[in-house]
Amino acid sequence: MIPHSVIDDIRQAADIVDIISDYLALQPAGRNYKALSPFTKEKTPSFVVSPDKQIYKCFSTGKGGNVFSFVMEMEKVSFPEAVELVAKRTGIDISRFTEKKEKGRHEESWTETLRWTARFYHGILLENEGKKGASYLKEKRGLTEKTIKSFGLGYAPEGWEHLLDAARKAGIQKQQLCDLGLLSHNKQRNSWYDTFRNRVIFPIFSVGGQVVGFGGRTLRNDPETPKYLNSPESRIFEKSKLLYGLHAAKSEIRREETAILVEGYMDVLALHQAGITSAIASCGTSLTHHQAKILHRYAGKVLFIYDADPAGQKSMMTGIDILLAHGITPFVVTLPEGDDPDSFVSREGRENFLQYTSEHRTAFLDFQIGILRQTGFLDRTEDKSKAVRRIVRSLSLIPDRIAQELYLQELSEKLSIGIQALQEILDIENNQLKKKKAPDENRRDTSFAPARQEEISVLEKTFLKALLESTRYGNTVLEFAASHEEMLTLPNSDAQEIFSHLIRRYHDMAADPDERIDISTELSHFGSQAAGNLATGLLMEQPVSERWLEKRNADAEKARICLTMFLDAFRNLILEPLVREENSIRENIRRESDTNREMELMREKKRLDERIKKTTKDLQQMIGQILSRN
């Protein structure tokens, strides 16, 4: 259990803008930052981050919270794991709270099991049992111990139950290993065995540095055995949405505004070891739209260095279209025949590699023309027409219309084709692209649609907003709310949960009158996500204190404004149901035809009028006394 005060310290030390920037391309918008929502498909940014309040709100889906809840959403981890990840980012050591008290005991979560597995394989590589894997990585592939450690490389030994036996001793359930694809099933024997055997293991990390899966390279010389084996798809391992090495490369990519995209794990490792730390790979698959979307957060340019064989050229041609569609400018480098980035940089070194890629960097348009010319598509008129349309189709994917026109002029000059003819083809392609996109844009994305919430009144919102905001300036409002809690029940269940939670927190810290609630941290502790989303939305709005005339920027004055607004909403919330009841009785009297029943209703109304009058007087007196003391 991590103490509340430590969680507060971690949250206050973390910069939410800095951490969310690892996942989204944030753009300044006044005092806040905006981005396209990571939770749904949209064209207009609705995701807002407030650096002042250290919270975020997605207005498309209703989701919101603090740095912990964002990491939980993006990394698919529990709250304690999110706290641990943010703590590492801020340099705060919380190992004394997270270390297991019982040796071998293990938290039953997917992410924790994946982390344990990565350590298990890495540990074997460093032991006698892992000599075969260590020899392959160090002697055959030239990796240093530093690189092996930095990327957590490991070895899965020969044998059928090494991982299974170790997991049993560590208290990890077999079902978890099965769910994560770490165990495979033998149907004939109805038994389970280790999926990875006699393989060098490459842990695959999320952008935040969380282990989400594994790649394994076999050390057997057996044509029947797949050379590479990856973890199966799961809710936390989606190959199409992962880029190998991005967790280590993202800072350099953002600094250079360029990513080097290669094909394999070893290419990434060799380049990083040589000090070229902007290298990433697409996890053994062709580049996908999801991966391009992720790259767009960090870079405006991508340098392709794929194999020069037909398969590599085809992948680059497809990848160029995908990158262009996401506003990224692709370049291509073709290495000497027989070389890949790993072999080239290992032989030539960092400086020669950088010099070569600088001198042999080809713009995507020249690369496309070169490939089509090489394959003979520009030799005959009928083929040339198809080739030109193929290139123009790529240009139509570029979101920037001015960039489209500039590339079109360049294509006209390079192929000696009239600009008007090319423009007509581009217009046709643009129209077809619009028609193709239209159904997708009109189709509502319901995968992250916010659940329908109960109606919440303006009065409840005002009451809660004043209460939430007041916590920044002390405990005056909370103290009053706690002492009059029994007088009030909020109709909206999420609103009531927020109210009750804050009262509980006030009682928890009552022993220390100087302690204050960190409301940004508290967003992670509400019982339901809906309550946290509601609270975040209220906090994201203009502060109550800034709606008043400009006053001195002092905590005491702001607290008094919050208290005044809170008391006003408090009074109206108590009186509102009484007034509703009076209106109902009045309507019943108007409709009643029975004289005796009408007289009874009149007496009931009189009693209620007196109660409303007395309650109003008592509340006014109480509020006046409270305000006079503050």
Side-chain angles (χ1 to χ4, degrees):
M1 180 69 72
I2 306 172
H4 221 103
S5 58
V6 175
I7 295 174
D8 281 350
D9 291 342
I10 295 167
R11 208 282 309 153
Q12 290 166 13
D15 181 357
I16 194 170
V17 173
D18 185 38
I19 289 177
I20 290 181
S21 292
D22 282 349
Y23 301 85
L24 304 178
L26 295 177
Q27 299 295 329
R31 294 175 66 176
N32 297 328
Y33 289 84
K34 278 191 171 184
L36 293 173
S37 170
F39 309 129
T40 188
K41 295 176 184 176
E42 62 181 15
K43 281 194 168 183
T44 304
S46 71
F47 184 91
V48 180
V49 182
S50 169
D52 296 336
K53 298 169 185 175
Q54 289 292 299
I55 59 176
Y56 71 91
K57 181 70 176 178
C58 172
F59 290 94
S60 288
T61 63
K63 292 186 176 186
N66 57 19
V67 66
F68 301 129
S69 50
F70 182 82
V71 170
M72 288 169 68
E73 285 277 5
M74 300 305 289
E75 296 288 343
K76 304 293 187 294
V77 295
S78 64
F79 175 70
E81 290 170 319
V83 172
E84 194 172 349
L85 287 172
V86 176
K88 286 179 182 176
R89 179 69 181 268
T90 58
I92 297 176
D93 181 15
I94 60 169
S95 59
R96 63 191 185 279
F97 305 115
T98 57
E99 288 175 354
K100 305 295 180 290
K101 292 184 179 179
E102 298 175 29
K103 191 174 181 181
R105 188 175 174 183
H106 190 77
E107 181 183 343
E108 292 185 358
S109 72
W110 279 20
T111 52
E112 191 70 22
T113 298
L114 286 165
R115 192 181 304 135
W116 175 88
T117 304
R119 288 171 180 161
F120 171 76
Y121 286 138
H122 182 67
I124 287 182
L125 183 73
L126 304 180
E127 295 171 358
N128 221 26
E129 203 174 6
K131 275 186 177 180
K132 192 174 180 181
S135 174
Y136 172 81
L137 291 172
K138 292 179 181 178
E139 297 169 19
K140 189 169 183 179
R141 306 312 297 257
L143 295 184
T144 64
E145 288 188 10
K146 182 181 178 183
T147 302
I148 290 170
K149 185 177 180 181
S150 296
F151 285 84
L153 305 186
Y155 176 66
E158 294 189 79
W160 298 94
E161 297 182 351
H162 282 276
L163 180 69
L164 183 56
D165 289 342
R168 282 197 194 105
K169 293 174 184 176
I172 298 173
Q173 291 186 357
K174 183 174 73 174
Q175 187 57 50
Q176 274 203 343
L177 300 176
C178 299
D179 292 340
L180 292 165
L182 295 169
L183 294 183
S184 297
H185 187 234
N186 185 317
K187 292 182 180 179
Q188 291 180 336
R189 296 183 179 181
N190 193 26
S191 61
W192 294 90
Y193 59 91
D194 296 351
T195 300
F196 295 103
R197 301 180 313 284
N198 194 23
R199 288 180 181 271
V200 171
I201 299 297
F202 302 88
I204 299 171
F205 298 88
S206 69
V207 69
Q210 194 78 357
V211 180
V212 294
F214 300 95
R217 202 270 189 204
T218 187
L219 297 185
R220 291 177 185 162
N221 293 318
D222 179 4
E224 298 296 319
T225 301
K227 186 175 180 181
Y228 278 95
L229 189 65
N230 284 321
S231 294
E233 294 284 307
S234 70
R235 64 180 175 84
I236 59 175
F237 184 74
E238 298 176 83
K239 269 199 306 184
S240 65
K241 298 181 181 179
L242 292 166
L243 289 159
Y244 182 72
L246 184 59
H247 71 291
K250 61 190 177 188
S251 297
E252 184 67 10
I253 291 173
R254 186 181 281 125
R255 190 181 70 80
E256 293 184 356
E257 298 182 353
T258 302
I260 296 177
L261 188 61
V262 295
E263 288 188 276
Y265 302 134
M266 290 305 308
D267 293 330
V268 171
L269 295 169
L271 289 173
H272 276 256
Q273 183 167 286
I276 303 167
T277 56
S278 57
I280 54 175
S282 53
C283 285
T285 65
S286 297
L287 186 71
T288 68
H289 282 281
H290 281 296
Q291 291 165 341
K293 185 179 179 182
I294 293 168
L295 277 173
H296 184 59
R297 301 170 187 166
Y298 305 95
K301 301 173 187 174
V302 164
L303 186 62
F304 270 113
I305 311 183
Y306 277 19
D307 290 346
D309 58 17
Q313 291 176 351
K314 184 179 179 182
S315 293
M316 282 189 278
M317 290 288 277
T318 304
I320 284 170
D321 285 353
I322 291 172
L323 291 173
L324 289 175
H326 289 272
I328 300 173
T329 304
F331 294 87
V332 177
V333 170
T334 302
L335 295 176
E337 188 175 350
D339 262 325
D340 55 28
D342 175 16
S343 62
F344 189 90
V345 77
S346 298
R347 184 182 68 250
E348 301 291 337
R350 179 178 184 273
E351 296 306 320
N352 286 341
F353 180 90
L354 292 175
Q355 183 179 348
Y356 184 91
T357 55
S358 175
E359 292 173 354
H360 294 80
R361 178 177 301 201
T362 304
F364 77 90
L365 196 56
D366 291 330
F367 176 78
Q368 287 180 315
I369 292 171
I371 292 295
L372 292 169
R373 179 169 283 128
Q374 181 183 323
T375 52
F377 274 90
L378 297 181
D379 295 340
R380 296 184 298 275
T381 301
E382 60 272 20
D383 291 335
K384 187 173 183 179
S385 175
K386 292 177 184 177
V388 170
R389 290 179 185 278
R390 168 66 180 83
I391 297 174
V392 175
R393 190 180 306 124
S394 295
L395 300 183
S396 72
L397 298 170
I398 300 172
D400 186 343
R401 190 60 190 260
I402 294 176
Q404 281 186 4
E405 296 293 336
L406 291 172
Y407 282 121
L408 205 66
Q409 290 175 14
E410 187 179 340
L411 181 63
S412 173
E413 294 169 5
K414 289 179 182 295
L415 295 183
S416 302
I417 298 175
I419 188 70
Q420 187 174 350
L422 292 176
Q423 185 66 61
E424 288 175 3
I425 299 172
L426 181 63
D427 290 341
I428 292 170
E429 293 293 340
N430 280 332
N431 289 332
Q432 288 181 348
L433 194 62
K434 284 179 183 177
K435 290 177 183 178
K436 187 178 178 182
K437 283 184 176 180
D440 293 331
E441 291 171 3
N442 293 331
R443 191 184 300 123
R444 188 178 175 188
D445 181 11
T446 57
S447 56
F448 289 101
R452 186 175 178 181
Q453 298 178 0
E454 304 167 52
E455 287 296 322
I456 180 169
S457 67
V458 174
L459 194 53
E460 287 174 287
K461 284 184 177 180
T462 304
F463 172 84
L464 278 182
K465 182 162 179 57
L467 180 61
L468 288 163
E469 189 183 331
S470 74
T471 59
R472 299 184 186 277
Y473 314 119
N475 298 331
T476 304
V477 180
L478 268 177
E479 182 182 6
F480 171 82
S483 60
H484 295 83
E485 181 186 8
E486 72 285 348
M487 296 178 66
L488 190 62
T489 300
L490 301 178
N492 181 274
S493 60
D494 294 331
Q496 179 62 40
E497 183 181 328
I498 295 170
F499 180 51
S500 300
H501 176 87
L502 292 178
I503 300 303
R504 282 197 303 274
R505 284 288 292 120
Y506 173 76
H507 287 308
D508 290 343
M509 62 184 196
D512 184 358
D514 294 326
E515 188 177 353
R516 293 185 183 184
I517 287 178
D518 184 326
I519 198 61
S520 296
T521 302
E522 215 60 42
L523 293 172
S524 298
H525 298 296
F526 292 119
S528 73
Q529 182 64 49
N533 292 342
L534 173 59
T536 307
L538 293 171
L539 287 169
M540 192 64 79
E541 294 175 3
Q542 183 185 14
V544 169
S545 55
E546 291 181 10
R547 294 177 185 171
W548 288 51
L549 294 173
E550 192 66 36
K551 296 178 180 288
R552 290 179 59 199
N553 188 24
D555 280 1
E557 188 58 50
K558 289 188 175 183
R560 182 178 174 82
I561 293 170
C562 289
L563 178 61
T564 304
M565 293 289 287
F566 174 84
L567 292 172
D568 185 53
F570 178 82
R571 175 186 58 215
N572 290 333
L573 280 169
I574 291 175
L575 291 175
E576 189 181 48
L578 298 177
V579 172
R580 268 202 314 269
E581 187 179 351
E582 183 194 34
N583 291 336
S584 177
I585 293 173
R586 185 182 289 114
E587 181 63 20
N588 289 339
I589 291 171
R590 187 180 68 80
R591 295 181 177 181
E592 188 57 64
S593 56
D594 184 283
T595 303
N596 291 331
R597 175 60 183 155
E598 184 179 359
M599 293 298 293
E600 185 181 335
L601 287 170
M602 291 287 286
R603 287 192 293 271
E604 189 178 338
K605 180 180 178 300
K606 184 178 179 182
R607 286 193 298 271
L608 188 58
D609 286 342
E610 290 173 355
R611 183 183 171 192
I612 291 173
K613 186 176 181 181
K614 184 178 185 306
T615 303
T616 302
K617 182 180 178 182
D618 291 345
L619 285 169
Q620 291 283 46
Q621 186 177 4
M622 180 178 68
I623 289 170
Q625 290 173 351
I626 291 169
L627 290 174
S628 67
R629 294 198 304 267
N630 291 280

